[in-house]
Amino acid sequence: MVLADVLVSGVLMGLVYALLALGLTIIFGVMDTVNFAHGEFLMIGMYAAWLTATYVFPDPLAGLPVAAAVGALLGVAAYALLVRRLLRGPMVAQLFGTFGLMLFLRYGALAVFGPNVRSVTHGVLLGKRVLLGGIVLDATRLAAAAGSAVLFGLVYVLLQRTRVGVALRATAVSREAAQYMGIDTERMNALGWAIGGATAGMAGALLTNFYYVSPTAGTLFAMITFTAVALGGFGSVPGAFVAGILVGVVQMLAAQYVAAELKLAFVYLVYFLAVMIRPQGLLGVR
């Protein structure tokens, strides 16, 4: 595989990472809360897409809106039933609370679906190849990247160009000031979790086209997502986009030119070097 192929493959995968990191950084930006269950939100989205493709419509892309709805409902339920109460306690309670939610969702999926790995066997893009600028690309990965870029852009426009987005950003900057301006910060918290859950669910649905589905599928992606968010800067939406792509490119370069089993080690090495120079992340603020 030539360098151009590796770079393009890295960018395609990085766009999916960026979408996944988007939800996590929004939740942190609004509430300063780290959602350790974010990978499990993705896993639930993968199962939603797989179930839709298996029993409703024979294509995993058809499960995209289903995964978005399930992820959003899961996010709102997590906030209303758990996180809202944890916010009254110390930071360590929030960390252990979302860690417990991660275990609950993972082992709940294990109890419902069992340990077997699932995958989709039919779909309009499965097995297809696309020739783009002399590079042959897997159609499912290209669709996942394009879908992630579009969804990321839509959420960015929502945050920057709508009254709801302004209210959400105002809550992230100063909760008290937002309340004085008449913003319902409780509703903004729930919205932040809904967006976080929906984007994770949709990222899971896009991954289902070319990645296996299992109760532990979210573990790997959660680690990569945390790295991307920290590298880009906690709470920075542009940082999540840049860092997601950077992580994807580094991962592919390491897998191609060093060793496949060391690809994640190089991702974390780049992260360590970056935060040593700029602890707040590439686009974060102190």
Side-chain angles (χ1 to χ4, degrees), residues 96-113:
F96 279 104
T98 58
F99 187 82
L101 177 62
M102 174 193 75
L103 296 177
F104 174 78
L105 293 176
R106 181 182 303 173
Y107 289 100
L110 185 64
V112 173
F113 298 105

Side-chain angles (χ1 to χ4, degrees), residues 90-180:
M91 176 63 76
V92 68
Q94 301 169 29
L95 297 179
F96 279 104
T98 58
F99 187 82
L101 177 62
M102 174 193 75
L103 296 177
F104 174 78
L105 293 176
R106 181 182 303 173
Y107 289 100
L110 185 64
V112 173
F113 298 105
N116 295 333
V117 172
R118 318 293 178 108
S119 62
V120 294
T121 56
H122 41 254
V124 294
L125 298 178
L126 292 183
K128 302 290 194 312
R129 297 287 186 273
V130 176
L131 182 62
L132 187 65
I135 300 174
V136 179
L137 301 172
D138 186 292
T140 57
R141 293 177 184 270
L142 183 60
S148 297
V150 170
L151 293 169
F152 195 106
L154 291 174
V155 174
Y156 186 77
V157 170
L158 170 72
L159 294 174
Q160 299 294 326
R161 302 292 185 185
T162 66
R163 291 175 61 88
V164 171
V166 171
L168 198 60
R169 288 190 288 123
T171 304
V173 173
S174 173
R175 177 174 304 279
E176 290 186 357
Q179 289 174 332
Y180 286 135

Side-chain angles (χ1 to χ4, degrees), residues 256-279:
Q256 179 65 27
Y257 294 108
V258 185
E261 58 270 21
L262 293 177
K263 60 184 181 182
L264 291 180
F266 272 81
V267 170
Y268 300 138
L269 176 61
V270 170
Y271 163 67
F272 290 140
L273 294 176
V275 296
M276 285 176 65
I277 300 172
R278 192 174 168 79

